[in-house]
Amino acid sequence: MTTLFDQTIPQFSKMLGNLDAWLGAAVALAEQKKFSPDVIANSRLAADMFTLIQQVQSACDAAKYAGAYMSGTTPPSHPDTETTMVELRARIATVRAHLETVTRESCAGAEERKVSPPWLHGAWLTGADYITQVAIPNFYFHVVTAYDILRHNGVALGKQAFIGAMPVHT
Amino acid sequence: MTTLFDQTIPQFSKMLGNLDAWLGAAVALAEQKKFSPDVIANSRLAADMFTLIQQVQSACDAAKYAGAYMSGTTPPSHPDTETTMVELRARIATVRAHLETVTRESCAGAEERKVSPPWLHGAWLTGADYITQVAIPNFYFHVVTAYDILRHNGVALGKQAFIGAMPVHT
């Protein structure tokens, strides 16, 4: 049976790897067009939306907190200090390494766990509802918006780069 | 135990309901600013990306096909004929009504089912891999990009409008 862990941690890590590759494509475009890649890093789709830097930081946090809430642990602190593409890609690598330490076993019982993030002010969601209705949509919100900022700035990406590798059988 | 059905169909329907509300906010902005809402309906974030109309159609199809592949059924045909916000919102209502007919029981065994969409040219994914690695990311890709197009065009939405209602306990 697929568990909440299977639905999230390995897939979130894969998507963060895809995101890293998209940032690599942005850096390559910047080199080719002779502009600083950090122009794109500071781009946003609306004045009151997050920059690419903030979208990547938020995607990393969404993945990290999903693991923490499923396993009832406190995640490592990753201050939002990144200002460059190089630092952003290092943040992704750090979070992906951390996600390797989150195991199916450590997330046992996640479905019924009470999840009470600070922004719920003491109220709580079941682990299952938190993952399905908050963690997954919020993670993809930031990953897709990062993708959209890159595409809006001319980085050549397509649906295959978005989805990434698939475990196909023949 | 949460099933693949629980992870997708009710949540996809909720998100499509959220999307419908965002389109309503776009229509209200257009009325206030005296432009046609169909200007936004035909907006896109890059010349080689889908328009809002196409993003909404694709989100509807992603939800519909997830149900079809999980239950081994052929989904109803919904030709992509919409050109206006009114028609788009009707498409969403049609798909949400269809999703009501997809049940947990009809999706029993979905995890091990062979899913072989035409674009895999005869190859296949397990139902579990298809849902986690294709259906969910692809659904959110189109929903979030629709949201991003709306925000880029000045529609006032926030994270709460994105996530929608949550089954909180106190």
Side-chain angles (χ1 to χ4, degrees), chain B residues 120-138:
Chain B
L120 279 180
H121 305 292
W124 56 276
L125 294 162
T126 65
D129 287 338
Y130 165 75
I131 290 298
T132 304
Q133 301 193 41
V134 178
I136 291 175
N138 188 49

Side-chain angles (χ1 to χ4, degrees), chain B residues 3 5 70-71 103-113:
Chain B
T3 64
F5 169 86
M70 283 193 293
S71 60
T103 62
R104 188 177 290 103
E105 292 67 34
S106 69
C107 296
E111 305 221 347
E112 288 79 33
R113 195 180 284 278

Side-chain angles (χ1 to χ4, degrees), chain B residues 63-65 67-68 73-76 78 93-102:
Chain B
K64 180 176 76 174
Y65 278 105
T73 56
T74 302
H78 298 137
T94 297
V95 171
R96 293 188 77 200
H98 165 67
L99 293 178
E100 291 290 323
T101 70
V102 180

Side-chain angles (χ1 to χ4, degrees), chain A residues 80-170:
Chain A
D80 292 333
T81 54
E82 295 84 5
T83 61
T84 67
M85 284 286 195
V86 170
E87 291 169 347
L88 269 189
R89 298 182 75 181
R91 170 76 169 263
I92 292 173
T94 298
V95 171
R96 293 188 77 201
H98 166 67
L99 293 178
E100 290 290 323
T101 71
V102 180
T103 62
R104 187 177 291 104
E105 292 67 35
S106 68
C107 296
E111 305 221 348
E112 289 79 32
R113 196 180 283 279
K114 287 187 180 185
V115 173
S116 185
W119 48 265
L120 279 181
H121 305 293
W124 55 276
L125 295 162
T126 66
D129 286 339
Y130 165 75
I131 290 296
T132 304
Q133 302 193 40
V134 178
I136 291 175
N138 188 49
F139 175 77
Y140 282 110
F141 180 91
H142 295 293
V143 169
V144 173
T145 302
Y147 177 100
D148 285 345
I149 291 171
L150 293 167
R151 292 285 271 106
H152 186 63
N153 280 280
V155 181
L157 302 169
K159 186 59 80 67
Q160 200 169 338
F162 177 76
I163 294 290
M166 289 181 295
V168 291
H169 304 267
T170 52

Side-chain angles (χ1 to χ4, degrees), chain B residues 24-69:
Chain B
V27 170
L29 178 71
E31 284 172 1
Q32 179 203 328
K33 299 260 190 182
K34 315 276 188 223
F35 62 79
S36 166
D38 302 330
V39 174
I40 296 185
N42 288 287
S43 291
R44 53 183 109 219
L45 292 173
D48 58 346
M49 288 185 80
F50 277 0
T51 62
L52 177 61
I53 289 173
Q54 292 168 305
Q55 300 292 352
V56 174
Q57 290 167 337
S58 298
C60 288
D61 277 355
K64 180 176 76 174
Y65 278 105
Y69 284 125

